[in-house]
Amino acid sequence: MQTPAITVHTRLTQTLYRQYMHFHVYQKDHGWLIFTGGCLLVFLFGLFNFRTDSPILGWVFVVLAVYLLVSRFLRFYLSLNRICRQYGLDSLPRSFYSVTFTPEGLEVRNRTEQAFYSWDQVHHAYFRPGIIYLYMNPQTAYLLPDSMVEGGTLEDVWTLASAQLLPEKRTRLAR
């Protein structure tokens, strides 16, 4: 029995893009934990300096820790707003690409290009309720929301991807 092709037409919105970037930066690799941990250590070193009668050095380290933490998150959200404005996501949803899934691979089309990828070219797939993030390399992903699936459901896409990808290349997340 031939498995029918399932197509996802992705229309990006500001909300969808923000959710993806939040996942990519804060949940996928947990790099923010290392940064926050480093800021916490600098902060604690500042508090230690207060206890050892070095208040000036203590203030320097406490202010540095707070500055690093606040500036990192502020830069992230300002950059996110800039990218949303640049791509026009702050007004109406924009059609970006369509991805068609078959047992042989996936075909990606946009207004100007078309490409075919075999399943072994997929870097990793993450399933969250309502969306799949399909990473073709560690830094870029196709966003596949459930409201834009044609010829099946998002669960059908995940079942097909799960059958084709190695277990270490797919992760199903609860939230």
Side-chain angles (χ1 to χ4, degrees), residues 52-121:
T52 59
D53 292 330
S54 300
I56 294 175
L57 198 54
W59 278 114
V60 167
F61 283 111
V62 166
V63 169
L64 178 65
V66 171
Y67 169 76
L68 288 173
L69 193 61
V70 169
S71 69
R72 168 74 165 102
F73 291 108
L74 189 60
R75 279 192 324 243
F76 171 74
Y77 287 107
L78 289 175
S79 172
L80 193 56
N81 288 338
R82 182 185 49 78
I83 291 169
C84 286
R85 276 192 314 276
Q86 179 181 349
Y87 286 108
L89 300 177
D90 51 351
S91 54
L92 296 174
R94 289 195 51 205
S95 180
F96 268 77
Y97 48 80
S98 295
V99 183
T100 302
F101 295 90
T102 64
E104 294 78 36
L106 47 133
E107 180 183 1
V108 180
R109 293 179 312 280
N110 63 22
R111 290 185 189 128
T112 59
E113 298 175 322
Q114 181 174 341
F116 182 82
Y117 300 100
S118 63
W119 284 104
D120 61 342
Q121 290 177 283

Side-chain angles (χ1 to χ4, degrees), residues 122-141:
V122 174
H123 177 72
H124 203 99
Y126 294 92
F127 180 93
R128 293 179 70 194
I131 194 162
I132 293 176
Y133 300 124
L134 189 67
Y135 281 83
M136 299 310 288
N137 64 52
Q139 294 301 316
T140 56

